[in-house]
Amino acid sequence: MVHTSQGRMAKVLLVLVILLALSFLLSIGYGSSGFLLSFHDIQSKILDYRLRRTILAALVGASLSSAGCAMQSLFRNPLADPYIIGVSSGASAGASIAIVLGLASSSLSLMLFAFASSILTVYVVYRIGGSTTSSLLLAGIAVATFLTGLTSLLIYMAGESMHKVIFWIMGGFWTANWVKVELMFFTAFLGIALLYVFAWRLNALLLGEEHAESVGIDVSKFRAVIVAISALLTASAVSVSGVIGFVGLIIPHTMRMLLGFDNRVLIPFSVLFAMGFMPLVDLVARVAVPGELPVGIITSMLGAPFFIYLLRRGTGFGA
């Protein structure tokens, strides 16, 4: 296991703290109309909209990045992301069904449909392929492919509701409210805390299933626990924001290149980076064009080149 010098960790931590502070200040204080200066603006705009939106973006980023750390360690592959076991496809299918059938009367009901369908998808994937890591991956690909086709069919049949489905799938924080913030705070805190507790076991798993078993880890049960925690984090994030791709790939791997493979360091630093990164992406989405860009478009445009870089660099956990 690669160890990171205390000096490098301190420098990276300082940069991330500065990034987080600037990110929150810019996201709360700046918009398409410029900086907010008056107390009336602070009351009417920041507290009522931008603050909850910024916090939600940070929590979604933290959830996706920590789940990405777990998935990359579980599959021993830096190209793995939180959606690899079909969470996003399940959430998209559930949200599409709710919209097409007229059951999404509010953002809360849409969120509940997306969350429930994503958790159900993970359960089905694990029941099909949970015996080994490779079969779990293949089951996730197969189920996700089916659900993607189902979602496309629903979009085709949606008629006037089609734009609602497409906008939800693209991902964004324009429907942010305090209920979503409270839900995300609870699930993010619980999930990230549990992943940190299990960080040393993830480190052992990186060295192979035989090594993990030799230090007393029941690999089969541990795999189920990690999948469940990652599914909770990812399903919660997708249910409140739609599908925001590549965050769980970019953030953990960037931190891994800087700090090494130790999940006891990687998880908290990835969370901190994501909490500064996502509000900035959301700020760009708000001010880049008249109206608003879906956040998922921006993260995909950033993530695709990074994904290609990883492919050319190699897919293993070696140097």
Side-chain angles (χ1 to χ4, degrees):
M1 196 62 60
V2 177
H3 295 281
T4 307
S5 68
Q6 294 295 322
R8 174 177 288 189
M9 286 178 56
K11 291 177 182 178
V12 173
L13 179 61
L14 177 61
V15 171
L16 294 181
V17 170
I18 294 173
L19 173 66
L20 180 63
L22 289 175
S23 174
F24 268 66
L25 286 174
L26 288 173
S27 298
I28 294 172
Y30 187 77
S32 56
S33 59
F35 281 99
L36 302 179
L37 300 175
S38 70
F39 181 72
H40 178 267
D41 285 336
I42 292 176
Q43 281 188 313
S44 63
K45 294 182 179 179
I46 293 182
L47 295 181
D48 187 50
Y49 183 63
R50 290 189 188 173
L51 179 60
R52 65 183 184 232
R53 181 165 177 159
T54 300
I55 295 174
L56 186 65
L59 292 172
V60 167
S63 297
L64 293 176
S65 63
S66 57
C69 289
M71 289 292 98
Q72 290 172 10
S73 295
L74 179 65
F75 290 98
R76 301 181 65 202
N77 192 328
L79 301 183
D81 74 356
Y83 301 144
I84 198 169
I85 51 176
V87 176
S88 62
S89 300
S92 298
S96 300
I97 291 171
I99 292 172
V100 171
L101 297 181
L103 302 175
S105 57
S106 66
S107 61
L108 179 60
S109 60
L110 180 61
M111 178 183 71
L112 292 176
F113 268 95
F115 180 82
S117 60
S118 58
I119 293 296
L120 178 61
T121 299
V122 173
Y123 174 77
V124 171
V125 168
Y126 194 82
R127 293 291 295 178
I128 294 172
S131 56
T132 65
T133 302
S134 58
S135 61
L136 182 65
L137 173 60
L138 293 173
I141 293 172
V143 172
T145 301
F146 171 79
L147 291 174
T148 299
L150 175 61
T151 302
S152 298
L153 175 63
L154 290 169
I155 292 174
Y156 178 78
M157 299 171 57
E160 294 181 358
S161 301
M162 180 176 64
H163 70 283
K164 294 181 181 179
V165 178
I166 294 175
F167 262 74
W168 188 91
I169 291 175
M170 287 180 178
F173 301 106
W174 51 78
T175 61
N177 57 52
W178 289 113
V179 173
K180 292 184 176 182
V181 170
E182 291 169 2
L183 170 68
M184 279 308 305
F185 180 82
F186 174 77
T187 57
F189 180 83
L190 176 63
I192 293 169
L194 288 173
L195 287 181
Y196 186 77
V197 168
F198 293 131
W200 74 270
R201 299 187 187 185
L202 287 170
N203 290 345
L205 196 60
L206 276 176
L207 299 177
E209 293 188 2
E210 295 82 4
H211 175 78
E213 290 174 349
S214 72
V215 296
I217 298 173
D218 186 328
V219 173
S220 179
K221 290 183 179 179
F222 181 61
R223 185 189 302 117
V225 169
I226 295 302
V227 168
I229 296 171
S230 300
L232 174 67
L233 286 166
T234 309
S236 300
V238 174
S239 69
V240 302
S241 65
V243 181
I244 298 177
F246 287 106
V247 174
L249 171 67
I250 297 173
I251 302 296
H253 198 72
T254 300
M255 289 295 97
R256 187 176 287 108
M257 289 190 293
L258 292 173
L259 300 172
F261 305 140
D262 188 348
N263 282 283
R264 294 170 297 182
V265 175
L266 186 61
I267 291 173
F269 274 75
S270 294
V271 167
L272 188 59
F273 184 19
M275 292 183 71
F277 175 78
M278 281 306 300
L280 286 179
V281 174
D282 183 49
L283 174 62
V284 173
R286 286 193 281 117
V287 304
V289 297
E292 183 169 335
L293 277 175
V295 172
I297 291 178
I298 299 174
T299 58
S300 294
M301 293 178 68
L302 292 173
F306 193 83
F307 189 84
I308 294 171
Y309 161 74
L310 291 183
L311 285 174
R312 294 186 61 83
R313 188 173 184 266
T315 58
F317 268 82

